[in-house]
Amino acid sequence: MTTDIVVDDDAAAAEADTRQPTTSSRSRRRRRLWIFLGPALLLNLVWGWYPLATSFVLSFTDARLRGDVTFTGFESYERMINDPLVADAFRVSIIFAVLSIVLTFVVPIFVAILLMEMPRRTMRWMMLLWFLPLSSVGTAILWRYVYNTDYGLLQSIATGLGFDRQPFLNSSDQVLFWLVIPGLVLYGPGLIYLATLQSVPTSYYEAAEIEGAGFWRKIWTISLPRMRPVILMMLMFAVIGNLQQFEWPKLMTNGGPGGASRTAVMYVYDILNQLRYADATALSILLFVLIMLIVGIMRFAIREDPDAPPRRSLREFVTRKGDL
Amino acid sequence: MTIRIPRASGARPILTRRSFLRASAGVGIVGAGLVSLSACSSDQDDPSGEPEPLPTELADATLLVSDAGPYKAVPDEAAQADDPSNKIYADTLQAWLDENPAVKLEAANVDVWNKDAMVTAIAGGTAPAIYYANVIGSWNNEGIKQAFAQQLAADTTDLVASFDVVGRMTDTARMVWERNWGVDGRYYGAPLTFSIGEVVHYRRDLVDQLGLPQPELGWTWADLRALALALNADGRKGIMLRTSPMNYAFKTAEGAEVLGRLPNPDGPWWWRYDYGLQAEAHAEAVANIRGMIFEDESALADIGTGDDPWAPRHAFNRGEIAMHINSIDMLLQGPDAEDGPVALADRAGLPLDDVTGIVALPAGLNGNAGPSSCENILQAVSFDPELGKDELTAAFSLHMYMNTDGQVSRGKAQFDAAQDLRSVWQGARAYPVFTEVIEGLPGSLAEGWGEKIAASVGEIAELAQRPDPLWFIPVETNPGPGDEALNDAMTKWWYEPSEPDVAGDLDNLSSVRNDQAASFSSSVPWDDFAAGASEYYDALATHWEENAPEFHRDTFEPWLEEHVRPALG
């Protein structure tokens, strides 16, 4: 026997309208809400928003570590905007992010889908590879040797196959591409995609097969739509993370050659090293604004799940009964 | 004590660190406005006047010390049992603590080799009492002086006088100390070690086998290229080049650093940049280095290896390369290391200084730098600016002991344990700063590492040092533009296989640096700057007239008269 569950939104709304909350119940609900939200808010306030706000204020001063601090208005912003290397660093960050998203974000989606078609043993090995707790510093140093133009593994393979000697990281045209490649092999959100795909009931695919759907049709109509909320969330994380890339270019090329791999965060670091704290915070704020802008556009333009009901406001959430 | 920093331009609202934090604390709040409160101060006494005599007995003081140096707390019994050098260190330190029972050492968990961590700790009041001054100044003289001007170290002028630090130093170390470590007549630290810095390490035995003349003072980068090509044989590369020595070839040996920077009376930053003035000579110098890498294929250079000093050291001692440019410390250390210089000499069956030679860095193709422009380097320690007077005295006293009597007793104990003078005269301890240590330690550098190496070290240490603007021009308290653009141009030349347009790159470099400089303002009044700059250029003219007369006559003087003198008025 099967039981059909049908959600009648109109009936629920009508019922909610008839149950008007009293003042005391509303205040009780608010108190409960703040008890739950409080710790998270406090942590965010101390470790997230306070430093952010302090950085914002610092960027309008000369930000000396000791002694008098002087209000300098928009001087640091002016200095950063007039610095040609800032534009270069933003350009590098954006190219790096795009390359990284195309190569290490999109490719694993299809790898995960294909892996679902593979024997479970193969799938498990790939999951293990993605899940290995590798030290990014250690891995970066290892890749430095892999790319070495004189005695690196890739150079041996290239020349062994009859190609000319390759410049790899030594070429400003290629450096970002080669910096992104290790992420394709070692990191990326493949594991999360696989986990999402595993949560899709096999009955969906079975039903589709009965209806005559082929491999690509199943991907298009079942796998990708089911993965959509996760893909969009991971895309946002990828945008945020890649625009703040620091570790790999710092360890592998130190921003070279010719500044071709110096990201915005690396430039912040360089400026910090010159004790220019105000300029560094101003540049960080500019980067923050760029990231917020991109994330804002993404949030506005893309609905994570087209099947989800419209979002409720916080006021609606607080005043409606039965949610807590 | 409050150090007032002169301001270049008109008065602005002043905010202290405390009031700033208060203001920012309210910032949901960005518009809270910035309010002027009281001046931030440390608790040191005014150091003006005659230095006080040292106390006969140190007062109660607890000093935070880092395990990473320069002086860690007394190692525990297990650590002493594991490593004999820990036992020697513990005995030395304990002797001082026994003499000064009121002083206690407590471990501080701060990475003293990490500039960011150190600067944060100093600002936050959690810094160890004693730390490496070079670290907080990014290992360059300008950075160090700026860090001092920004109050990141305690004023030690009185203690330097009380301990007669200057009078006890060797002549070479004293010269570097007085020139590079004073700020407006004050000191903010104490000397630790002296070094002749970067030198060319080469295979003396291979040069002999090929019947080539040994490289010597006055050789040029063209000579180095020829030698690298000659040694590039038998599966061995001629040289491995790190980024900074190649940068040195352009910036220092070729004079780009000096000749590309001009006084700028129009301000607000008193320097402007024009690297294109010597474009032809610079292009030749760049081509010389690129020729080693891309034409001769006698040089290893990879951006991934970058400035790593260990890769060339290991490759050299394994016999894979015949030359590298590195700190002298890379030779005089690790007598028992498997891939150290001693192991290389043992494999060759020759005395160490017959296998490995050192020679000063080459001069530029244009004759700039004279015989060489090796830079004598002094490493120093600084002290937490939050220390009280008693704590500062105790910390300074500890430092002086560990670098004089303590260093002698450690050296004697190390020799007794290893019966190897190389274990006494090794690494940063190979060139003591204080005369009494050289006299007190067993043996000598020459007895430990060989006459030839010791002679080369002595020769390089005595080289005339190229005058530095910092010796003459007051220290900027406002940071200026960084070197990234210059470094970018150089890394492009050294690593990119495609042929560069050096003249175009130099023009672009000048343009970028001038755009950057336009947004900075100098903290030094123009008149003071111009007076200091005039002295600096006079000293440079004298230096080059004596050490590189042709370069002085053909390049420097015409450039000076045409571009610098008119600007300085």
Side-chain angles (χ1 to χ4, degrees), chain B residues 16-93:
Chain B
T16 65
R17 190 159 52 103
R18 186 171 296 131
S19 64
F20 164 73
L21 288 171
R22 233 181 245 162
S24 56
V27 173
I29 303 174
V30 177
L34 303 171
V35 186
S36 176
L37 291 175
S38 59
C40 182
S41 65
S42 68
D43 53 359
Q44 292 165 40
D45 290 340
D46 186 341
S48 60
E50 289 298 310
E52 290 177 25
L54 289 170
T56 52
E57 197 173 306
L58 292 177
D60 284 348
T62 300
L63 305 178
L64 291 179
V65 289
S66 167
D67 266 356
Y71 312 111
K72 57 186 175 186
V74 178
D76 61 26
E77 300 266 328
Q80 291 183 39
D82 283 349
D83 183 352
S85 67
N86 275 338
K87 169 87 171 77
I88 293 169
Y89 174 82
D91 291 345
T92 308
L93 180 56

Side-chain angles (χ1 to χ4, degrees), chain B residues 108-378:
Chain B
N109 189 20
V110 180
D111 181 1
V112 289
W113 293 102
N114 180 329
K115 178 182 174 176
D116 296 334
M118 273 309 303
V119 168
T120 307
I122 294 166
T126 57
I130 311 172
Y131 45 84
Y132 298 109
N134 304 64
V135 171
I136 60 167
S138 299
W139 296 91
N140 72 70
N141 295 333
E142 191 175 359
I144 291 166
K145 288 198 176 191
Q146 279 187 353
F148 291 163
Q150 294 199 21
Q151 307 173 35
L152 295 179
D155 186 328
T156 57
T157 314
D158 283 356
L159 289 162
V160 167
S162 300
F163 279 86
D164 188 24
V165 170
V166 177
R168 295 158 74 180
M169 291 170 82
T170 62
D171 291 344
T172 41
R174 183 188 306 119
M175 200 178 289
V176 186
W177 170 253
E178 290 183 329
R179 281 171 170 170
N180 289 342
W181 289 85
V183 179
D184 297 334
R186 315 292 305 173
Y187 291 118
Y188 296 87
L192 179 67
T193 59
F194 171 81
S195 170
I196 57 170
E198 303 243 318
V199 295
V200 179
H201 303 236
Y202 71 97
R203 286 289 295 273
R204 186 184 282 275
D205 57 336
L206 297 178
V207 173
D208 281 340
Q209 282 169 24
L210 290 168
L212 298 169
Q214 295 286 334
E216 56 185 26
L217 210 58
W219 69 326
T220 67
W221 275 89
D223 299 331
L224 183 138
R225 180 179 175 181
L227 184 59
L229 187 57
L231 294 169
N232 192 50
D234 303 328
R236 185 184 48 242
K237 283 286 182 179
I239 189 167
M240 185 184 278
L241 288 167
R242 293 160 50 228
T243 309
S244 59
M246 292 192 281
N247 291 353
Y248 155 84
F250 175 73
K251 284 200 308 188
T252 312
E254 210 51 44
E257 202 170 32
V258 172
L259 302 173
R261 188 165 74 162
L262 302 162
N264 176 30
D266 298 331
W269 186 248
W270 303 140
W271 295 107
R272 68 182 180 86
Y273 304 88
D274 192 345
Y275 294 94
L277 295 172
Q278 314 289 331
E280 209 173 309
H282 290 341
E284 196 186 344
V286 169
N288 184 65
I289 299 217
R290 288 179 55 85
M292 296 168 74
I293 302 165
F294 299 109
E295 290 170 30
D296 304 347
E297 296 187 357
S298 61
L300 297 177
D302 183 86
I303 200 161
T305 313
D307 219 18
D308 175 11
W310 295 99
R313 179 188 193 261
H314 294 325
F316 182 82
N317 290 327
R318 286 195 301 259
E320 295 164 3
I321 56 172
M323 283 194 284
H324 65 119
I325 301 174
N326 227 322
S327 164
I328 178 68
D329 295 353
M330 287 289 162
L331 171 64
L332 307 180
Q333 68 175 223
D336 49 0
E338 279 180 19
D339 62 350
V342 178
L344 175 70
D346 289 347
R347 283 200 303 276
L350 292 167
L352 191 146
D353 63 343
D354 281 341
V355 175
T356 301
I358 58 162
V359 61
L361 297 172
L365 302 182
N366 61 6
N368 177 22
S372 164
S373 54
C374 283
E375 187 188 6
N376 286 340
I377 294 170
L378 196 71

Side-chain angles (χ1 to χ4, degrees), chain A residues 2 6 70 92 129 162 234 237 244 267 295 299 313:
Chain A
T2 57
V6 177
T70 307
V92 168
L129 183 64
M234 297 309 293
F237 287 157
Q244 297 183 78
Y267 199 37
V295 170
R299 295 283 297 175
S313 69

